Amino acid sequence: EIVLTQSPATLSLSPGERATLSCRTSQSVSSNLAWYQQKPGQAPRLLIYDASSRATGIPARFSGSGSGTDFTLTISSLEPEDFAVYYCQQRSNWPPFTFGPGTKVDIK
Amino acid sequence: QVQLVQSGAEVKKPGASVKVSCKASGYSFTNSLISWVRQAPGQGLEWMGWINPYSGNTNYEQKFQDRVTMTTDTSTSTSYMELRSLRSDDTAMYYCARDGYNNGWYSDYWGQGTLITVSS
């Protein structure tokens, strides 16, 4: 099973600041990685797929990069609605498609 | 528009079974996959397995292998997830998600979630 680690666990920032979230996988997943945003009481929402492609309707301030075992989600300038928990998930060739433990982005 | 509507919350006793439904609309049901993901209170996301509505083929996370069954009814575009021998640590929000293909299968639309509470 591929294990995902995310850092930091919590990121405290102010609106307008840049957020950089990290996801590392225990073995290479090529570019088969997704990022999801989850707000309290809501279902997760797909932000990024295939490591760097934005999902439908996702603002350009969200960007993903990386391949192999190291991945980054960047939010270029935080909007008030971006404060949430972010999960990465590997979607390599074979299940199980494990999630990372999440990074909480909260208001400083 | 793509929608996944799940059945309502349930309370079950330990040892019982639960069956959650997920009705899809707005896309061709047999052209995508359905994943099931759960989230215990205050915890992260846990992938449980997926099903191909076209073929009926399934793949389950090993820890659920003996207790879960995922099925679909293509006549109603509905997917079901049954979990047996419930324990208190199965208390969680259960989500279905459509997996669409974009250079890989990704969960691009999600149901609203179904809260399953296991308590004596």
Side-chain angles (χ1 to χ4, degrees), chain B:
Chain B
Q1 71 283 21
V2 175
Q3 275 194 309
L4 299 170
V5 179
Q6 298 184 223
S7 49
E10 301 203 49
V11 179
K12 295 291 184 180
K13 293 193 182 303
S17 299
V18 68
K19 192 170 187 177
V20 180
S21 68
C22 170
K23 184 172 176 59
S25 61
Y27 72 99
S28 176
F29 186 60
T30 53
N31 282 356
S32 299
L33 309 181
I34 295 286
S35 277
W36 289 87
V37 174
R38 76 177 187 180
Q39 185 171 38
Q43 302 301 309
L45 301 170
E46 182 174 33
W47 186 82
M48 298 179 68
W50 68 354
I51 183 167
N52 182 332
Y54 177 77
S55 64
N57 288 343
T58 56
N59 195 301
Y60 303 140
E61 157 66 65
Q62 190 170 7
K63 70 178 284 187
F64 300 109
Q65 188 80 33
D66 296 335
R67 297 196 296 135
V68 73
T69 302
M70 296 175 188
T71 56
T72 58
D73 181 346
T74 54
S75 68
T76 60
S77 297
T78 302
S79 182
Y80 299 91
M81 188 282 298
E82 181 181 34
L83 189 61
R84 301 176 293 278
S85 302
L86 290 167
R87 309 185 286 253
S88 58
D89 62 358
D90 290 319
T91 294
M93 186 71 79
Y94 288 78
Y95 295 102
C96 63
R98 182 192 89 154
D99 281 11
Y101 189 82
N102 278 296
N103 199 30
W105 294 98
Y106 296 95
S107 297
D108 53 4
Y109 291 91
W110 293 64
Q112 83 277 19
T114 297
L115 180 62
I116 303 299
T117 302
V118 183
S119 174
S120 55

Side-chain angles (χ1 to χ4, degrees), chain A residues 2 4 25 29 32-34 88-92 94 96-98:
Chain A
I2 298 175
L4 280 67
T25 61
V29 298
N32 300 126
L33 189 108
C88 56
Q89 183 194 30
Q90 62 85 12
R91 288 288 211 164
S92 60
W94 299 106
F97 298 128
T98 41

Side-chain angles (χ1 to χ4, degrees), chain A residues 2-32:
Chain A
I2 298 175
V3 177
L4 280 67
T5 54
Q6 290 187 242
S7 60
T10 303
L11 194 54
S12 297
L13 296 168
S14 301
E17 290 194 292
R18 182 184 189 88
T20 303
L21 288 65
S22 174
C23 177
R24 179 166 290 179
T25 61
S26 61
Q27 62 190 76
S28 176
V29 298
S30 186
S31 63
N32 300 126

